[in-house]
Amino acid sequence: MNLSFKNRIALHYMVATAIIMAVVFGTIFLIVERTVIQNLDNDLSYEAEKHLNEIEFVKDSIQFINKEEWQEREHTETQVNPVFIQLNDKQGSVMDRSPNLKQDFLTFKGKTDGGHYNAELTDIPIRQVQLPIMENDRIKGYIVAAISSESAFSVISRLREVLIISYFVLLVGLYFISRFLAGRSMIPIQEMTRTITHITQNNLNERVTLPKNQDEIFLLSSSFNDLLKRIEKAIEKEKQFTSDASHELRTPLATLRGTLEVLIRKPRSQQEYEAKILYSLEEIDRMTATLEQLLMLARLETSVGSKMDSFIPLSVLIDESISRFKPLITEKKLKIRLNINQSEKALIPHFYSNIIIDNILNNAIKYSHYGGTIRIAVDIVEGRITCNVRDEGIGIKEEDLVNIYDSFYRSDALDHKQIPGNGLGLAIAKKCANAIQAELKVSSTYGQGTNVMITF
């Protein structure tokens, strides 16, 4: 069934209400029907018990006492709902009956305590009860009492009709009311749909109007606005990244072109050719390093985690990283102080952790003063492996700490032109940390050094 959302809500509400109403109306009908019939049965039982005291046994016959008075009372009194009494012997033959039966007979249920049951008398519905007549603990016959049930069943029938008609009328009314209320409730969703339809990449700053009531629709609208904000921020970062990447690659390309153009303007000496070629190779190496880091960032953006990564002790990774940077450490006369308090069984993901350690240690080496000290401490805190890398370098300004994970961001880059780098190291380290649920915490004092805490 291809119904609109509003009609589906109304239909589901109507179905649920229909079930509840059917149970309620059915219960009401059964209670009323049982109460009416119970009242009839109580009256019948009373009349039958009363007339049991008004019979006598004459040999093998059963008769009413003072039947003449009873007949006279019928002539002088108006009976709204008369009671009919009949006496039967054990075989069911009629022994006597009340004068108001005239030529009619009540239904006999056989040799048993027939209890209460429905019957007819001259096509009029009646309610009957059949009780045994006892003498010396032996059944001598039966007394059958009856009373008209036409008015009672008429009330029950009328009640059934009223409930059925009311049931369907209420359901139809509820459908249209619930449809109307559902339409009003969907106004914020329709507003959200209109806003979403008009939002494109060029106007991501638009937001869905939040409803007044802080309900589920408010939460949906708020979540959608948060999603738009994240998308807008991601696109802005992508644009900035593209712009920065283009600039980082355009600069060495322009330098290479200028150097080569100058080189071919006139004949040069061998020494000049060698110097310019070596300079060009350095620029190519710089571009290659930048491209490799850009490709790594792109791979990390689509990485699904470290499911296929092997595991290795952190101390082994640190030793390998120090070995790779040994020439730079020696060149700057740096001292490495290790304090490793970690079990060899405490392992970390190899691939991503290796990238993190390399980038953090590389930054510590680059920004350390000549002859400085780098301290590396490994410990286990609250069941997690921690690694602190502290240098005594130039440090980072406090206001720049919030931007250190942005691609191509370098604090006071113009003041440190002699330090190679493109501002991608910490961005890559952060992506790797996210891939293995590790945490990076950077604290720094400008002019005194930087400490990076990695928690695996």
Side-chain angles (χ1 to χ4, degrees):
M1 189 180 295
N2 189 16
L3 296 176
S4 65
F5 184 63
K6 178 173 66 175
N7 287 330
R8 287 203 305 274
I9 292 177
L11 180 62
H12 294 163
Y13 180 74
M14 188 186 71
V15 170
T17 307
I19 295 172
I20 296 173
M21 286 175 57
V23 173
V24 173
F25 282 15
T27 303
I28 292 173
F29 177 77
L30 292 175
I31 291 174
V32 172
E33 182 184 41
R34 184 173 181 179
T35 302
V36 170
I37 293 176
Q38 186 67 43
N39 288 335
L40 279 177
D41 292 344
N42 290 339
D43 291 343
L44 275 175
S45 297
Y46 171 76
E47 292 292 339
E49 294 288 344
K50 182 179 74 173
H51 286 90
L52 276 175
N53 299 321
E54 298 177 355
I55 62 175
E56 62 180 356
F57 299 97
V58 180
K59 297 182 180 181
D60 292 332
S61 177
I62 308 173
Q63 297 177 354
F64 288 111
I65 301 173
N66 301 324
K67 190 174 181 181
E68 292 78 7
E69 294 181 8
W70 190 0
Q71 190 170 8
E72 181 67 25
R73 191 166 57 247
E74 283 192 351
H75 286 293
T76 58
E77 294 179 359
T78 301
Q79 294 183 319
V80 178
N81 200 11
V83 177
F84 306 99
I85 305 295
Q86 179 177 289
L87 301 177
N88 294 75
D89 62 10
K90 291 191 294 183
Q91 285 71 36
S93 300
V94 177
M95 296 285 100
D96 203 354
R97 53 187 173 163
S98 59
N100 56 6
L101 277 174
K102 298 179 180 170
Q103 301 302 317
D104 298 317
F105 297 93
L106 298 178
T107 303
F108 181 69
K109 291 287 287 185
K111 298 178 181 181
T112 180
D113 180 1
H116 296 88
Y117 53 94
N118 295 321
E120 286 188 355
L121 182 66
T122 62
D123 297 328
I124 297 174
I126 58 175
R127 185 75 174 169
Q128 290 189 190
V129 63
Q130 179 175 310
L131 299 177
I133 301 173
M134 308 294 294
E135 185 184 30
N136 299 325
D137 295 330
R138 289 189 305 168
I139 296 177
K140 299 290 289 182
Y142 297 91
I143 182 170
V144 181
I147 190 170
S148 173
S149 59
E150 185 176 15
S151 60
F153 286 154
S154 175
V155 170
I156 294 173
S157 178
R158 183 62 177 169
L159 175 64
R160 184 191 297 111
E161 292 174 1
V162 170
L163 290 177
I164 291 174
I165 294 173
S166 301
Y167 180 76
F168 288 105
V169 170
L170 286 174
L171 282 184
V172 173
L174 279 171
Y175 174 77
F176 287 104
I177 292 174
S178 58
R179 189 174 182 273
F180 171 74
L181 294 177
R184 288 181 59 86
S185 300
M186 288 180 60
I187 291 177
I189 298 179
Q190 294 171 347
E191 179 67 25
M192 186 187 308
T193 304
R194 283 193 292 269
T195 304
I196 294 172
T197 304
H198 292 98
I199 290 176
T200 63
Q201 184 174 347
N202 298 323
N203 62 338
L204 284 173
N205 58 335
E206 289 192 19
R207 295 292 181 267
V208 174
T209 303
L210 298 177
K212 295 180 181 179
N213 297 325
Q214 295 192 12
D215 50 14
E216 290 81 358
I217 297 179
F218 179 91
L219 181 60
L220 175 62
S221 302
S222 179
S223 299
F224 183 77
N225 285 342
D226 292 340
L227 175 62
L228 285 177
K229 185 177 180 180
R230 291 194 297 270
I231 294 174
E232 182 182 13
K233 187 176 180 180
I235 291 178
E236 288 178 355
K237 290 182 71 174
E238 182 182 349
K239 290 179 179 178
Q240 184 64 40
F241 178 84
T242 304
S243 175
D244 292 340
S246 299
H247 178 268
E248 289 291 326
L249 295 175
R250 191 183 298 115
T251 300
L253 284 173
T255 303
L256 273 176
R257 183 179 181 85
T259 300
L260 295 175
E261 286 177 349
V262 170
L263 195 61
I264 62 173
R265 283 179 184 174
K266 62 179 181 179
R268 306 282 180 175
S269 64
Q270 183 176 351
Q271 290 80 6
E272 287 179 311
Y273 279 119
E274 290 178 354
K276 295 298 182 182
I277 290 172
L278 287 173
Y279 179 76
S280 298
L281 289 173
E282 289 177 358
E283 290 298 317
I284 292 173
D285 289 340
R286 178 183 168 190
M287 279 195 302
T288 301
T290 301
L291 284 172
E292 287 178 350
Q293 289 182 311
L294 289 173
L295 290 173
M296 181 175 292
L297 269 178
R299 286 196 299 269
L300 292 172
E301 289 287 351
T302 57
S303 173
V304 295
S306 56
K307 293 180 180 178
M308 302 302 294
D309 203 354
S310 58
F311 289 81
I312 190 172
L314 178 56
S315 57
V316 175
L317 277 184
I318 293 173
D319 288 339
E320 291 177 354
S321 186
I322 292 174
S323 298
R324 281 192 291 272
F325 293 113
K326 193 68 175 178
L328 288 175
I329 295 172
T330 303
E331 181 182 341
K332 296 188 71 170
K333 304 293 184 183
L334 297 176
K335 304 178 189 66
I336 305 296
R337 298 285 185 262
L338 296 175
N339 181 17
I340 297 178
N341 181 23
Q342 178 210 355
S343 170
E344 291 297 319
K345 295 182 181 180
L347 307 178
I348 59 175
H350 186 185
F351 178 76
Y352 291 104
S353 301
N354 184 54
I355 297 172
I356 297 172
I357 296 298
D358 271 3
N359 280 283
I360 299 302
L361 186 57
N362 185 31
N363 280 348
I365 293 170
K366 285 194 302 183
Y367 293 103
S368 288
H369 296 299
Y370 186 86
T373 300
I374 297 176
R375 293 176 171 81
I376 303 175
V378 177
D379 203 353
I380 296 181
V381 178
E382 296 181 355
R384 300 187 69 180
I385 304 172
T386 63
C387 176
N388 278 283
V389 180
R390 179 185 297 275
D391 64 61
E392 298 174 349
I394 61 177
I396 305 172
K397 291 181 179 178
E398 184 177 355
E399 60 269 21
D400 292 337
L401 288 173
V402 294
N403 301 314
I404 57 176
Y405 299 119
D406 295 342
S407 301
F408 298 108
Y409 181 82
R410 299 185 70 192
S411 179
D412 287 335
L414 296 178
D415 295 336
H416 311 297
K417 292 181 179 180
Q418 75 282 4
I419 301 176
N422 49 29
L424 292 173
L426 280 177
I428 292 173
K430 181 65 173 176
K431 297 286 185 185
C432 290
N434 292 340
I436 58 174
Q437 287 79 50
E439 298 174 6
L440 287 182
K441 184 176 180 181
V442 179
S443 57
S444 182
T445 303
Y446 189 66
Q448 298 183 19
T450 300
N451 180 73
V452 179
M453 180 178 176
I454 313 164
T455 304
F456 294 95

